[in-house]
Amino acid sequence: MPIENTAGYMIPVLPSNDLAYPFGKLGLDLSDSELRETAYEIFVGACRSSGGGRPLTYMSQSSGRSSDKASSLPSLQRSLTLTAASKVKKALGIKHKKKNNSSESNASSTENRPATIGELMRVQMRISEQIDSRVRRALLRIAAGQLGRRIESIVLPIELLQQFKSSDFPNQREYEVWQKRKLKVLEAGLLLHPKLPIDRKDPSAQKLRQIIRAAHDRPIETGKYSEAFQTLRTITMELASRSSDDYTPDTCHWADGSPLNLRLYQILLEALFDVEEPTSMIEEVDEVLELVKKTWGILGIDEKLHNLCFSWVLFNHYVSTGQVENDFLFAADNLLLEIKKDAKSTLDSVYTKILCSTLNSMLEWAERGLLGYHESFYRGNIDLMQSILSLALSAATILAEENPRENGGMKAIDVANAKVDIYIRSSMRKAFNQEIEKLRVSRKSTKSQLNSLPSLCILAQDVTDLAFTEKEIYSPILQKWHPLAVGVAVATLHSCFGQEIKKFVSGISELTPGAIQVLIAADKLEKDLVQMAVEDSVNSDDGGKSIIQEMSPYEAEGVIVDLVKSWIKTRVDRLEEWVDRTLQQEEWDPRANRERFAPSAVEVLRTIDETLEAFFLLPIPMHPDLLPELMSGLDRCLQDYILKAKSGSGSRRSFLPILPPLTRCKGGSKLNGVFKKKDRLQIGQRRKLLPNTTTNGNDSSHSIQHLCVRVNTFHYIRKDLEVLEKRAIAHLKSNGIREGNFVKKHFELSFSACVEAIQQVCEATAYKVIFHELDHVFYNGLYTTEVSSSSRIEPFLQELEQNLEIIAETVQENTIRTRLITNIMRASFEGFLLILLAGGPSRNFTLEDSSMIQEDFKFLMDLFWSNGDGLPSDLIGKHSVVVKGVLPLLGIDTSLLIEKFKSLVVDNDGHVSSTKSRLPLPPTTEVWGPGEANTVLRVLCHRNDKEATVFLKKNYNFPKKL
C-alpha cells in the first residue's frame, strides 16, 4: 500500500517480499541473531591491535560503564565527536539530514548516545553488553596467548570455544546453544562453503562432520587437555589452511567462502544504518566503515566485493524500509558505476557469478515497476522513477557486458535503448488494459443509466489523455535513454487500440450512428498519435520513419466510406424492391386522394426524403463526397418508378388508325354500305395488330381517368424533385460546403423521365380519347354516309365535352390540364383531317358539303375555346393551321382541283414524271397541306363527282370498291 515519504506525498511501494537474495543460501540453520554475533566477533577481533607485543588488558564490567573499558583496541575506543560532513555519504550522493528534535529530546539523545565507536557498533548490531563483554574478554585472552599473531591466522570459532566453559554462561543450555553456533559456523565455513572446493570423501572433512554431528547430542569437551577438542583443532586447522594463494600462506580460510563471507559482511554493512531510524545512515559512517573494512582479511573481501555487497545492502535497505529514502537507491546506483569498472578488470568466475546474481536481483525488482510504470509512478514521485530506471539500466548494461552473446554484442547505449523500449511498450499495454478494465467496470456500475456514447469512443479519448500524460510526465525521463520515447509510446497505444478497432470493424454488419462515432473517434485518435510521433521524431536519424511505419493505419475513413456505400446500396435496393412491389398493386384511382395523384408517388418521395435526411444525420465528415452516389441511386429508383408507371399507357401511334388503301366511291352507290362494313372490319383487324391497343381499351388501370392520375403523379414528382434538390443543397450548406461545389443537378434522370412521361402520357391520353373512347362517334361515325344533320359533328362534340369535363376535374394543375387538353385538341384536329382525307370508301363529299364541314370544324374549335374559358385562341389557331389550309380544297371545283394536282406532280420542266402518259402516284407522307400532292389526290378520291371518277380511273385505275 502507498506510504507517505518525507516530502509529504504518497508513493507506491513496489513488491519487496519476494526480492531475490543474490548471495546464495547457507544451507544450514543459522539464525540472523547467530550470524550477527558471529559477524560482531569477527569485527571486534579484526579491530584488535596488531601492534608488537603490547599486552591486552581487560577491566571487568562491574568496574564501570562499558565505555570506560580498557583494552588494546584503540580503534574501537575512539571517542565519538561531531565531525565534518561524511566523505562516504558525499561520494554516494546521500544528503545530510537535519534532525528537528526538541532541546529536551536532544539532551536525552546526547545522554544516551554511545561514547565510542565500539559501543556504537554494539548498539547498531543489537549485541547485548553481556555478549560484548564475553567477546572482548575472550579476545584479550586469545591475544595474550598468541602474542603477535594476526587475527587472520587463527580460526576464531575454535579459539573462542577453548576460552569458555559452561560456568561462563548463565546456564548450561545457553552454553550449549553458544557452542553449537560455533560448530555450525565451522561447518558453514569449512565444509559447506569453503574458499576452495573440498572433496566430500576427504578424511578431514568426514571427521569434522562426525564431530559436529556428535556435538548435537553431547557438548564437546573444550578443556586444554581434551583429546576430542585437540582433534577438532587439528582437523579445523588442516581444512582452514588449504589455499592456492601463495601470498598469504599463514591465513586461515574459515569464513572467506561465498556465500558465508558475503552474508556476514552484509550484516556488518547494515550496521551503517541507524537502528533507531532505519531510513537514516549513522553520522559516523566514515569511521565505522573504516573499521568494517578491517574484516576483509578474515572474510576474503576485496574492493570489488565490497562495492558489490555495499551496493546490494544500500538497495536492499531501501526496499526493506518501505522505499522511502530515495538517497539509498541513488547511492546503490552510484556504486554501480564503480562496479562496472570492477567487472571489466576481473576475470574471477566467482565474482562474475555473484555480480550477475546481484544485478539480476536488482533488475528483476526494478522491472516490476518499470514494466508498468504508470501503476507505480506519477507526477508526485517521478524522480523516484528516474532513480529506479537509472539503476535498472546500469544493471542491465553491466549484465550485457558480462554476457555479450545473450545480447548480440550490443553496445551499452543500445542495451539501455532496448530496455527502455521494452518498458515503454509493456507499460503502455498495461495502462491501455487498465483503461479498458476501468471502462468495463464503469459501464457495469452505470448499466441502468443512459449513456449513448459507445465504449470505444470513451476509450479513444482515454487513450488520447494517456498519450498526452505519457508525453508530459514520463517521456522527459525516458528520452534520456531513448530518443524516440514518445514515438514508441504512441505507436504502442496505436497498436493496442488498433486491435480493438479491428475486432470492432469485423463485427459491424451494418452502418449505425454508434459505429460511425467509433470510427471517427478512432480516426481522430490516430491523427493525434501520428502527430505526436512525428513531432517527437523530427530530429531523429530516420525522421521517425521506423515509428510511423510501425503504426499500421486504421483506415477508419475508408471503413466509413465502405459502410456508407453499403448503407446507400441497402437503402437503394430496398427502394427498388418497394417500387416493383407497389406499382404492381397501384390502382391509379383518382379518388385515392384529393390531389388526384398516386399514393405510391407520395410514398416513394417520402422514402427518398427520409433517406436523404438519414444520410445527412450520419455523423460523417464526407457527406459531399458520398452524396452523388446516394443521389444517383435514388435518381435511378425514381426513374425506374416513372418508367414503369408510364409503361402500357400507349402512345400517339398506338391509337392512330392505319391509313386505308387509296380508292374512290360514287355517291349514292349501293356499295357504300359494303364499303362501310368492310372498312370497319379492316380497322378492327388492324387494331388487333397494333401493340397495346386492345389492352388499352379494356384495362381499367389505363382508363382516361387513370391516365390523368399518372400525368398528375409525374407532375407531382417533378415539382417535388425541386424541393428535394433544395433540401440537399441546404444540408450541404449546413455542413459548410459552398454552393459552387454542387452546381450539378442530382435528379437529372428522374427530371427528364418526368418531362418525357408527362408528354407521352398526355399525348397517349389525348389520342386514346379521340381514337378509342370516341371512335364510334368520330372516326367510325362522322360523315360515314353523307354530310347531313344525322352524321354531323354534334354527337362527337357532346361526348368530347363530357370527356373534357372529366379530365378537367381529374387534372387540377392548370399547366398540365392545358397541356393535356391541347393534346386532345391536336388529336381531334388530326382525326378530323384523317376523316376527310383517309376516312375510307364510305366517305364522299360534294362541293356543297364544304361549307358544312368548315362549320363543323368551327364548332370543334369553339368547343376548345369555350367562350374564352378554354384554351387560348392563339393556341387554337396555331394547331388549326393545317386543317384550315386543307378545308378550302373541299370547296374547289373538280376541274380546278385536277389542274392543281397535275401542277403538283409534274417536274420542274413541266413534264410528267412517268414515262407513260399516266400521272405518277404521289407518296403518302401523312403530312397534309394544300400544296401537298397526296393531300389533293385524297380530296379527289373522296369527291362525289363524275369528273373526279373519270380522272382517277384514267390515271390510276382506282377501284370503286375494296
Side-chain angles (χ1 to χ4, degrees):
M1 59 181 293
I3 61 173
E4 187 172 344
N5 77 344
T6 53
Y9 53 76
M10 305 301 290
I11 63 174
V13 178
L14 298 177
S16 60
N17 55 344
D18 55 348
L19 185 63
Y21 185 69
F23 300 148
K25 296 181 179 179
L26 294 179
L28 78 167
D29 184 22
L30 271 172
S31 66
D32 289 344
S33 61
E34 289 176 326
L35 287 170
R36 274 201 312 274
E37 288 184 30
T38 302
Y40 186 72
E41 291 166 355
I42 293 173
F43 172 75
V44 176
C47 290
R48 72 178 179 82
S49 173
S50 58
R54 274 193 305 179
L56 295 175
T57 59
Y58 171 74
M59 182 179 294
S60 72
Q61 188 172 355
S62 61
S63 302
R65 292 175 56 87
S66 62
S67 59
D68 297 329
K69 295 171 186 173
S71 76
S72 293
L73 302 176
S75 55
L76 291 178
Q77 297 291 45
R78 187 184 303 166
S79 298
L80 294 177
T81 58
L82 293 175
T83 60
S86 168
K87 293 180 181 179
V88 173
K89 288 184 179 181
K90 183 177 181 181
L92 294 175
I94 298 175
K95 302 180 185 69
H96 176 72
K97 282 189 176 182
K98 294 182 179 180
K99 296 185 178 181
N100 298 320
N101 297 335
S102 63
S103 57
E104 183 177 344
S105 297
N106 281 333
S108 175
S109 176
T110 302
E111 182 180 350
N112 295 326
R113 186 170 178 266
T116 64
I117 293 178
E119 180 67 8
L120 173 65
M121 195 62 172
R122 180 191 69 77
V123 172
Q124 285 293 106
M125 295 188 70
R126 288 169 288 177
I127 302 297
S128 67
E129 290 188 355
Q130 182 184 12
I131 294 175
D132 175 64
S133 176
R134 188 164 59 227
V135 170
R136 290 171 185 270
R137 187 167 66 247
L139 288 173
L140 285 174
R141 293 173 182 171
I142 294 169
Q146 301 183 14
L147 189 63
R149 289 189 64 183
R150 295 168 51 249
I151 192 68
E152 293 86 352
S153 65
I154 66 173
V155 179
L156 188 56
I158 289 292
E159 303 301 332
L160 291 175
L161 279 170
Q162 193 170 22
Q163 296 301 322
F164 295 107
K165 300 179 177 60
S166 60
S167 59
D168 293 314
F169 291 84
N171 53 62
Q172 178 66 23
R173 183 178 178 281
E174 188 172 333
Y175 170 70
E176 291 177 2
V177 170
W178 178 86
Q179 187 184 88
K180 287 179 181 179
R181 174 170 68 84
K182 293 293 179 287
L183 293 174
K184 283 193 288 185
V185 171
L186 289 174
E187 181 182 4
L190 295 174
L191 298 179
L192 298 179
H193 309 291
K195 177 73 172 178
L196 290 178
I198 188 171
D199 189 347
R200 188 170 181 81
K201 295 182 180 180
D202 183 280
S204 299
Q206 290 182 345
K207 184 63 176 176
L208 180 57
R209 289 190 189 96
Q210 293 173 2
I211 294 173
I212 293 174
R213 193 177 301 115
H216 282 297
D217 300 325
R218 180 178 180 182
I220 192 171
E221 175 62 44
T222 59
K224 186 175 182 180
Y225 302 106
S226 170
E227 183 179 351
F229 184 77
Q230 290 305 319
T231 301
L232 175 62
R233 176 187 288 275
T234 301
I235 293 172
T236 300
M237 291 303 296
E238 183 179 337
L239 292 173
S241 298
R242 294 181 317 110
S243 174
S244 60
D245 190 350
D246 297 332
Y247 296 100
T248 55
D250 59 342
T251 298
C252 290
H253 303 283
W254 65 273
D256 53 357
S258 175
L260 176 62
N261 61 342
L262 296 175
R263 183 71 183 95
L264 293 172
Y265 193 63
Q266 175 188 346
I267 292 172
L268 293 173
L269 291 178
E270 286 173 346
L272 299 177
F273 302 101
D274 196 326
V275 71
E276 295 182 357
E277 192 176 346
T279 58
S280 298
M281 190 174 276
I282 59 175
E283 296 295 327
E284 300 79 11
V285 62
D286 293 40
E287 294 89 338
V288 172
L289 188 57
E290 178 186 343
L291 296 180
V292 168
K293 287 183 178 181
K294 291 182 179 294
T295 65
W296 285 10
I298 301 173
L299 298 175
I301 302 295
D302 57 11
E303 188 73 31
K304 296 183 181 65
L305 284 174
H306 164 76
N307 289 337
L308 185 58
C309 191
F310 197 13
S311 178
W312 165 259
V313 168
L314 287 164
F315 168 74
N316 183 58
H317 193 75
Y318 164 75
V319 174
S320 62
T321 55
Q323 305 160 47
V324 174
E325 187 50 68
N326 197 15
D327 280 359
F328 295 155
L329 188 66
F330 186 69
D333 186 29
N334 281 338
L335 271 176
L336 289 183
L337 298 177
E338 296 299 322
I339 292 171
K340 186 175 183 180
K341 297 176 186 177
D342 297 339
K344 290 181 179 180
S345 62
T346 183
L347 297 176
D348 185 358
S349 61
V350 175
Y351 172 81
T352 300
K353 180 180 179 181
I354 298 170
L355 171 69
C356 292
S357 177
T358 303
L359 295 181
N360 275 320
S361 181
M362 291 181 174
L363 184 59
E364 287 173 10
W365 177 88
E367 287 189 338
R368 290 174 203 161
L370 295 174
L371 289 171
Y373 52 73
H374 282 265
E375 300 175 12
S376 307
F377 310 104
Y378 50 94
R379 194 185 303 274
N381 71 341
I382 197 64
D383 290 341
L384 177 62
M385 175 182 167
Q386 179 165 338
S387 297
I388 293 178
L389 181 61
S390 176
L391 178 86
L393 296 180
S394 295
T397 302
I398 298 171
L399 285 169
E401 292 175 347
E402 289 298 310
N403 301 284
R405 292 183 180 179
E406 295 181 8
N407 296 276
M410 285 194 296
K411 298 179 181 178
I413 187 172
D414 296 329
V415 171
N417 186 289
K419 278 290 184 182
V420 172
D421 193 276
I422 292 172
Y423 301 154
I424 294 173
R425 294 183 189 277
S426 173
S427 296
M428 289 297 99
R429 292 189 191 99
K430 287 185 178 181
F432 180 83
N433 290 333
Q434 285 180 344
E435 294 298 336
I436 291 182
E437 182 61 20
K438 284 194 296 184
L439 185 59
R440 186 190 67 79
V441 173
S442 174
R443 281 298 169 111
K444 187 176 181 180
S445 63
T446 59
K447 185 183 295 184
S448 60
Q449 300 178 11
L450 293 176
N451 189 349
S452 59
L453 197 60
S455 296
L456 283 182
C457 291
I458 300 174
L459 182 61
Q461 183 57 54
D462 291 342
V463 170
T464 301
D465 296 341
L466 184 60
F468 280 103
T469 299
E470 175 74 15
K471 181 178 181 180
E472 179 185 357
I473 298 178
Y474 302 100
S475 294
I477 291 176
L478 297 167
Q479 283 172 332
K480 296 177 182 179
W481 291 277
H482 198 307
L484 297 178
V486 175
V488 171
V490 298
T492 304
L493 290 175
H494 183 275
S495 174
C496 291
F497 193 83
Q499 294 175 8
E500 299 299 318
I501 280 295
K502 186 177 181 180
K503 289 189 291 185
F504 176 79
V505 170
S506 66
I508 298 176
S509 58
E510 62 178 349
L511 182 67
T512 62
I516 294 179
Q517 282 182 302
V518 169
L519 291 169
I520 290 178
D523 185 60
K524 181 180 182 303
L525 170 64
E526 181 171 50
K527 289 175 180 175
D528 289 341
L529 295 179
V530 170
Q531 180 64 27
M532 291 174 70
V534 170
E535 291 174 354
D536 179 57
S537 57
V538 66
N539 295 322
S540 64
D541 294 339
D542 65 348
K545 185 178 180 180
S546 58
I547 292 295
I548 300 302
Q549 287 178 341
E550 184 181 333
M551 302 170 75
S552 300
Y554 297 159
E555 297 181 347
E557 285 191 357
V559 174
I560 293 175
V561 169
D562 290 343
L563 286 173
V564 175
K565 286 184 177 181
S566 177
W567 181 87
I568 291 173
K569 185 178 184 304
T570 300
R571 293 296 183 99
V572 170
D573 289 347
R574 288 175 184 170
L575 186 56
E576 286 179 348
E577 293 174 4
W578 182 90
V579 166
D580 287 337
R581 185 173 62 254
T582 303
L583 281 178
Q584 292 175 6
Q585 302 170 356
E586 184 61 77
E587 296 180 353
W588 306 102
D589 188 352
R591 296 169 296 178
N593 55 50
R594 189 178 62 183
E595 291 80 7
R596 306 289 196 275
F597 49 76
S600 59
V602 179
E603 190 66 21
V604 73
L605 289 170
R606 183 187 64 79
T607 302
I608 290 174
D609 190 31
E610 289 177 352
T611 303
L612 280 172
E613 187 73 25
F615 172 76
F616 284 105
L617 285 176
L618 296 175
I620 59 174
M622 60 283 292
H623 286 113
D625 299 326
L626 295 173
L627 179 61
E629 184 164 349
L630 173 63
M631 297 297 270
S632 176
L634 297 176
D635 192 18
R636 289 195 308 272
C637 287
L638 194 53
Q639 180 196 34
D640 186 50
Y641 175 90
I642 296 166
L643 294 177
K644 289 178 178 177
K646 79 170 183 176
S647 66
S649 299
S651 64
R652 172 180 173 273
R653 271 295 164 195
S654 63
F655 292 106
L656 278 174
I658 297 175
L659 296 181
L662 281 173
T663 187
R664 64 184 181 84
C665 64
K666 182 178 179 181
S669 172
K670 293 181 181 179
L671 297 175
N672 282 339
V674 176
F675 289 150
K676 181 177 181 182
K677 182 178 180 180
K678 288 186 177 181
D679 188 36
R680 287 180 176 177
L681 179 62
Q682 182 187 36
I683 292 173
Q685 292 173 343
R686 182 173 68 245
R687 286 187 172 172
K688 290 180 181 179
L689 298 175
L690 292 175
N692 300 321
T693 301
T694 304
T695 302
N696 290 338
N698 299 326
D699 189 354
S700 62
S701 67
H702 291 87
S703 69
I704 298 302
Q705 280 187 299
H706 291 161
L707 289 173
C708 290
V709 171
R710 292 175 193 261
V711 174
N712 289 342
T713 300
F714 301 142
H715 178 70
Y716 169 74
I717 292 174
R718 188 181 66 176
K719 284 197 308 179
D720 206 66
L721 285 178
E722 298 174 359
V723 176
L724 290 174
E725 187 76 24
K726 290 178 181 178
R727 285 180 184 168
I729 292 173
H731 282 304
L732 288 171
K733 284 183 177 180
S734 66
N735 286 336
I737 309 300
R738 295 183 179 179
E739 188 171 357
N741 294 336
F742 42 84
V743 174
K744 180 182 178 182
K745 297 293 182 182
H746 291 115
F747 289 102
E748 288 183 334
L749 296 177
S750 299
F751 191 85
S752 297
C754 276
V755 173
E756 183 182 343
I758 290 172
Q759 176 61 34
Q760 178 181 329
V761 177
C762 279
E763 192 174 72
T765 303
Y767 280 81
K768 181 171 185 175
V769 168
I770 299 302
F771 293 99
H772 188 279
E773 301 297 325
L774 303 180
D775 180 68
H776 61 288
V777 291
F778 191 52
Y779 190 77
N780 288 334
L782 184 62
Y783 308 144
T784 52
T785 53
E786 59 184 10
V787 180
S788 62
S789 58
S790 62
S791 61
R792 293 281 296 273
I793 202 169
E794 184 62 31
F796 168 68
L797 293 179
Q798 290 176 356
E799 292 197 30
L800 175 59
E801 186 173 12
Q802 292 174 4
N803 278 270
L804 290 176
E805 288 176 355
I806 293 173
I807 290 170
E809 181 183 352
T810 307
V811 182
Q812 297 180 348
E813 172 62 40
N814 287 333
T815 56
I816 299 301
R817 184 170 61 246
T818 299
R819 172 177 290 191
L820 180 53
I821 293 176
T822 300
N823 274 277
I824 293 174
M825 178 183 70
R826 185 165 67 89
S828 65
F829 288 176
E830 186 173 351
F832 195 79
L833 273 180
L834 286 177
I835 289 171
L836 298 177
L837 302 177
S842 65
R843 289 186 169 91
N844 59 86
F845 308 106
T846 65
L847 289 175
E848 291 76 15
D849 293 336
S850 173
S851 59
M852 288 183 290
I853 291 173
Q854 291 196 33
E855 185 180 31
D856 282 349
F857 184 67
K858 183 179 181 301
F859 290 154
L860 179 60
M861 289 192 298
D862 288 344
L863 175 66
F864 288 104
W865 183 61
S866 187
N867 295 320
D869 293 333
L871 298 177
S873 58
D874 57 341
L875 185 63
I876 298 173
K878 174 183 175 182
H879 287 282
S880 63
V881 170
V882 176
V883 181
K884 287 180 179 179
V886 172
L887 285 180
L889 295 177
L890 300 178
I892 296 177
D893 185 74
T894 303
S895 59
L896 293 176
L897 196 60
I898 292 172
E899 290 301 320
K900 182 176 179 63
F901 174 72
K902 289 181 179 180
S903 67
L904 292 174
V905 297
V906 296
D907 58 21
N908 294 334
D909 297 328
H911 298 97
V912 176
S913 300
S914 174
T915 55
K916 299 181 180 180
S917 60
R918 291 181 179 182
L919 292 171
L921 182 66
T924 301
T925 62
E926 297 187 36
V927 177
W928 316 123
E932 209 280 326
N934 187 261
T935 302
V936 177
L937 178 61
R938 288 177 178 274
V939 173
L940 287 171
C941 286
H942 289 279
R943 175 65 59 88
N944 186 3
D945 183 273
K946 184 178 181 180
E947 185 177 2
T949 302
V950 172
F951 173 78
L952 293 172
K953 175 67 176 176
K954 177 184 178 180
N955 285 277
Y956 301 110
N957 197 27
F958 283 167
K960 292 183 179 181
K961 60 180 179 178
L962 293 175

